[in-house]
Amino acid sequence: MTTVAEEQHIGLQAPAAGSWLQPATRAGLIDLAPFVASIIPFAMTIGATIAASQVDNLVGFLGAPMIIGGTSQLAAITLLDAGAAALGVVITALAINLRVAVYSAVLAPKFGVQPRWFRWAGAAMIVDQTFAVVDARIDEGRDPAWIRRYY
């Protein structure tokens, strides 16, 4: 038997009156909230590194949507600023981002019941934090639609 607080945390109850969030979406936001504390200073570190480097600011900031992984972006900016060869920068960024391939490989069998569009979109948008919370929740026996909204 679960308590009301537990049911609200795992998204078993309907949204509260006036709430526009689905229970699964709300549960995902609640589970990701602790990660925000680490993401903000890390993002500020990346921004400061870009600003302090000789790399053009536009190039540095455009790297975020292209590279996705903050660690890879930080390494790429640092290497470019140090004058490293472009091939070395690309290889380094790819090597750091290989962890995302591991995340995808772990989730692939569990996402087999999801629609193809979601498997492609989910794989493209996975980061460390989403992997951590989704992998912890996906084995709870939820229906595929709940997992999509949670993700």
Side-chain angles (χ1 to χ4, degrees):
M1 193 113 223
T2 60
T3 67
V4 172
E6 289 171 330
E7 288 177 353
Q8 287 175 337
H9 176 69
I10 61 175
L12 294 176
Q13 292 184 333
S19 174
W20 55 273
L21 289 177
Q22 292 286 329
T25 304
R26 192 172 56 245
L29 291 172
I30 289 168
D31 288 352
L32 280 173
F35 292 106
V36 173
S38 67
I39 293 171
I40 293 171
F42 188 59
M44 291 175 68
T45 300
I46 293 170
T49 301
I50 292 169
S53 75
Q54 295 176 5
V55 175
D56 185 80
N57 287 348
L58 182 62
V59 171
F61 288 110
L62 287 178
M66 293 172 33
I67 297 175
I68 301 204
T71 308
S72 296
Q73 184 181 12
L74 190 58
I77 294 300
T78 303
L79 289 171
L80 286 171
D81 189 46
L87 181 61
V89 173
V90 169
I91 290 171
T92 300
L94 286 173
I96 293 170
N97 274 343
L98 277 177
R99 73 187 189 288
V100 177
V102 174
Y103 298 160
S104 295
V106 168
L107 292 178
K110 300 174 183 185
F111 273 41
V113 298
Q114 296 291 345
R116 181 174 298 194
W117 69 265
F118 182 75
R119 291 192 311 257
W120 281 93
M125 299 305 294
I126 196 162
V127 293
D128 302 322
Q129 294 82 2
T130 54
F131 171 76
V133 297
V134 169
D135 188 51
R137 285 291 192 117
I138 202 163
D139 293 329
E140 292 179 351
R142 304 277 184 177
D143 70 276
W146 192 95
I147 294 297
R148 284 193 302 278
R149 287 189 297 271
Y150 179 81
Y151 189 90

